[in-house]
Amino acid sequence: MHSASQDRAPIYEALQKYKAMRIVPFDVPGHKQGRGNPELREFLGERCLSVDVNAMKPLDNLGHPVSVIKEAEELAADAFDAYHAFFMVNGTTSAVQAMIMSVCKQGDKIIMPRNVHKSAINALIISGAIPVYVNPGVNNALGIPLGMSISEVKKAMEQHPDAKAIFINNPTYYGICSDLKTITELAHQKGMFVLADEAHGTHFYFGENQPLNAMAAGADMAAVSMHKTGGSLSQSSFLLIGSRLNIGHVRQIINLTQTTSASYLLLSSLDISRRNLALDGKNIFAKVTSLANYGRDEINKIGGYYAFSKELINGDSIFDFDTTKLVVHTRDIGLAGVEVYDILRDNYDIQIEFGDIGNILAIISVGDRALALERLVSSLSEIKRLYMRDKTGMFDHEYITPDVGMAPQRAFYSEQHSLPIRKSAGQISGEFVMAYPPGIPILAPGERITEEIIDYIVYAKSKGSFLTGTEDMFIENIRVVGE
């Protein structure tokens, strides 16, 4: 149970006090509480610009917290039931990178599922750690990658007993959870650290009847995107730490890349959101879950769509399911998810999180209302009526097992030349190709390019997926390893 102190928000309180003191600023930022940039002040508001301030004694310093930020970190650790919590202002990307770089040096192995976010593979490029991929199973009917099966994890650990850590997505973008507790116990028996990417799992810490969160499972570190489902500003995040790590060392790793001009707008938004969720998270996420369940039931009544849920659970590669995720399989109405995504935005003014080859995902969170969900449901019903077509010839899977030819760092920094993607089969990729969102690579540096991957890239482009990652902004050419 949280201590009574959860109703405090030290950073927010310190900013209120600073504002009341009417300080004359001869420090940065140069807009001087908005006076130097009237258009920005008009756009964002005077209240916002007046607290966009520099680290100063009364407001503490994120890189070396000794007062209000330190207190806010302690409250966050208490709320998440972690040993320590770091406030992150470079996004969950920097939290993921800090996790990997805290436990892996150059040449160290790390076990991870291949459907990780790009930020995890970027951490390998920066640190020189070597990935040992556990290929997730695939549900071919839905075309989605699953969680990590225990037998695959055991196999990877037996083949690579020298691995330093295991990295787990909890949940995946599609709401699928692995058996975090069993994997954590196996890893700890082998002396490996357990790192969890909980970018999409903030609510696991505060809602009732949610899948197990990483700290409760005994993981060593977890990256939690407070901004995704917890209500804080974009780019703000928490890095949670278990008791087996050296906090000072992790802080040094964070400070290698995190800005020394931390935004107090981001910091205070984390502080306030943590307080809200600690005090009222149960009610908030009960409402979110019931809204998502309502949406799922109504969409499944339309026919043709399939909004999946806990019925997928198999006790292993789908150990649990996050019912706040409204994921809808669209292929049976003859439309790729990304096509439904585009129609919703262009014709119905509805912006969902993403569409891939076979599915769409609507994020339901602390700010949603029933009326908006009714509008989504009725729009999907109309889209089926107007656009449904024969589904033959549609791609049926979202995940292709990679063939890793060399370490990501070596491939990324090697001599490379550019080739048309259609002519690159057999080569080793020097760069990423991915659909964003979700930002899970189709190809990563060091992986062999196959005809299947090329077909997938061409198909995804033709359906309107937003592909990114290559130096060539048009994704026509790819840099491959070799002179």
Side-chain angles (χ1 to χ4, degrees):
M1 198 52 219
H2 303 312
S3 53
S5 61
Q6 282 299 329
D7 54 14
R8 293 278 322 279
I11 299 172
Y12 166 64
E13 289 157 18
L15 284 169
Q16 297 273 55
K17 205 154 138 194
Y18 165 81
K19 223 178 140 157
M21 287 165 70
R22 305 180 71 86
I23 298 282
V24 180
F26 283 106
D27 60 350
V28 297
H31 63 66
K32 301 293 170 101
Q33 300 171 349
R35 284 187 288 278
N37 194 337
E39 293 92 343
L40 190 64
R41 189 176 60 199
E42 171 77 10
F43 179 52
L44 294 179
E46 180 276 331
R47 298 178 68 169
C48 179
L49 279 129
S50 69
V51 290
D52 177 34
V53 288
N54 189 27
M56 58 185 79
K57 227 174 187 170
L59 293 179
D60 208 357
N61 185 310
L62 184 62
H64 191 99
V66 292
S67 58
V68 291
I69 295 177
K70 181 171 184 283
E71 196 185 333
E73 285 181 346
E74 286 162 3
L75 285 168
D78 179 53
F80 285 91
D81 215 3
Y83 182 67
H84 188 78
F86 287 103
F87 280 61
M88 306 297 290
V89 294
N90 286 20
T92 307
T93 287
S94 73
V96 165
Q97 292 172 351
M99 291 198 301
I100 293 174
M101 288 158 63
S102 292
V103 299
C104 293
K105 297 194 290 292
Q106 190 167 23
D108 286 348
K109 290 179 190 169
I110 177 166
I111 298 169
M112 51 171 59
R114 174 54 180 73
N115 56 325
V116 289
H117 187 259
K118 163 190 185 212
S119 57
I121 298 176
N122 279 348
L124 307 179
I125 290 172
I126 296 165
S127 67
I130 311 288
V132 172
Y133 290 125
V134 172
N135 288 319
V138 175
N139 178 317
N140 276 330
L142 300 174
I144 60 169
L146 307 178
M148 295 163 93
S149 85
I150 298 298
S151 59
E152 289 290 320
V153 168
K154 277 184 174 159
K155 199 164 84 185
M157 287 178 174
E158 277 153 21
Q159 288 171 354
H160 303 275
D162 53 340
K164 286 285 188 325
I166 182 164
F167 183 97
I168 309 165
N169 296 356
N170 188 61
T172 70
Y173 225 134
Y174 301 93
I176 287 166
C177 302
S178 302
D179 183 353
L180 207 55
K181 196 162 174 37
T182 304
I183 293 172
T184 300
E185 285 163 2
L186 285 170
H188 285 167
Q189 283 163 21
K190 303 250 187 229
M192 298 175 193
F193 289 104
V194 177
L195 318 177
D197 177 352
E198 292 191 299
H200 293 270
T202 304
H203 43 294
F204 289 7
Y205 289 87
F206 300 100
E208 281 186 306
N209 305 315
Q210 297 285 348
L212 189 69
N213 66 63
M215 288 294 115
D220 298 297
M221 301 174 97
V224 179
S225 281
M226 196 69 163
H227 71 93
K228 288 195 168 78
T229 55
S232 68
L233 288 175
S234 278
Q235 204 180 309
S236 62
S237 185
F238 281 118
L239 175 59
L240 308 178
I241 309 290
S243 59
R244 297 168 73 231
L245 280 142
N246 176 332
I247 302 303
H249 172 65
V250 175
R251 181 173 277 114
Q252 285 182 324
I253 297 287
I254 292 169
N255 286 344
L256 285 175
T257 53
Q258 183 156 266
T259 175
T260 53
S261 310
S263 161
Y264 277 84
L265 303 178
L266 298 182
L267 293 174
S268 58
S269 81
L270 281 170
D271 204 20
I272 294 166
S273 305
R274 181 271 312 151
R275 180 172 72 175
N276 289 346
L277 295 188
L279 297 177
D280 198 32
K282 278 198 175 87
N283 293 328
I284 289 169
F285 292 119
K287 181 188 147 197
V288 168
T289 304
S290 77
L291 279 176
N293 286 337
Y294 163 77
R296 232 187 316 274
D297 292 345
E298 293 299 309
I299 289 164
N300 283 332
K301 283 179 197 162
I302 297 169
Y305 296 107
Y306 174 32
F308 47 86
S309 184
K310 283 184 180 282
E311 71 279 358
L312 295 183
I313 291 173
N314 62 17
D316 188 23
S317 59
I318 310 173
F319 185 75
D320 206 346
F321 184 79
D322 173 9
T323 52
T324 69
K325 301 270 185 294
L326 184 54
V327 196
V328 185
H329 187 62
T330 62
R331 207 170 42 228
D332 289 340
I333 62 163
L335 294 175
V338 66
E339 292 174 302
V340 176
Y341 169 99
D342 285 338
I343 296 166
L344 280 168
R345 189 193 53 241
D346 297 344
N347 300 2
Y348 296 90
D349 299 326
I350 292 173
Q351 179 63 56
I352 53 170
E353 174 68 9
F354 82 90
D356 61 28
I357 300 281
N359 305 276
I360 55 172
L361 167 66
I363 295 273
I364 315 292
S365 76
V366 40
D368 278 300
R369 7 181 255 297
L371 199 66
L373 263 159
E374 283 163 23
R375 195 169 146 187
L376 174 64
V377 172
S378 63
S379 303
L380 286 173
S381 179
E382 195 170 292
I383 288 169
K384 180 194 167 188
R385 192 166 58 77
L386 297 175
Y387 297 94
M388 185 167 175
R389 57 172 186 245
D390 184 15
K391 68 172 185 176
T392 48
M394 294 191 74
F395 243 65
D396 71 342
H397 58 303
E398 195 60 38
Y399 175 79
I400 298 168
T401 301
D403 173 5
V404 181
M406 67 170 63
Q409 186 183 58
R410 194 175 145 219
F412 187 82
Y413 288 113
S414 64
E415 284 294 322
Q416 299 174 357
H417 64 279
S418 187
L419 276 180
I421 283 183
R422 288 171 187 268
K423 295 186 176 159
S424 63
Q427 303 282 342
I428 287 182
S429 176
E431 47 187 6
F432 287 98
V433 181
M434 65 206 131
Y436 189 84
I440 295 162
I442 300 163
L443 255 184
E447 292 174 4
R448 200 168 295 284
I449 304 166
T450 62
E451 290 292 353
E452 188 187 16
I453 289 170
I454 295 168
D455 289 346
Y456 181 91
I457 291 169
V458 170
Y459 182 83
K461 266 180 77 173
S462 75
K463 289 294 185 190
S465 284
F466 182 63
L467 293 184
T468 70
T470 51
E471 212 172 72
D472 169 15
M473 293 295 282
F474 300 100
I475 329 282
E476 298 290 346
N477 300 296
I478 189 161
R479 296 186 64 79
V480 299
V481 172
E483 308 212 0

